[in-house]
Amino acid sequence: MLRECTEIFREQLQQNRNLLFDSYIPANGTYLIVKEDGSLCEPVEIELDKKVVR
């Protein structure tokens, strides 16, 4: 059963590379964005009002 779930997840991930991030809401903090080539962007400060985010 786990193998079947993994196969379905893999297929979905191939169709949408942002599958994991589409509904993810990051915690407050400072984040470093790493590009695919390994270079870093400027740090990003995230502070969300959880009452507004749906």
Side-chain angles (χ1 to χ4, degrees):
M1 182 174 167
L2 182 58
R3 176 167 278 151
E4 293 168 345
C5 291
T6 304
E7 300 266 337
I8 292 170
F9 177 73
R10 187 175 316 202
E11 291 171 9
Q12 294 292 317
L13 191 58
Q14 287 176 349
Q15 294 173 12
N16 179 5
R17 289 189 64 189
N18 291 322
L19 181 67
L20 300 175
F21 302 109
D22 284 346
S23 62
Y24 178 74
I25 299 174
N28 292 343
T30 304
Y31 289 83
L32 293 174
I33 307 298
V34 181
K35 296 180 183 178
E36 288 187 31
D37 66 2
S39 62
L40 297 175
C41 295
E42 292 294 319
V44 176
E45 186 69 32
I46 294 179
E47 190 168 328
L48 299 176
D49 184 354
K50 294 180 182 178
K51 295 176 186 174
V52 176
V53 177
R54 294 181 197 188

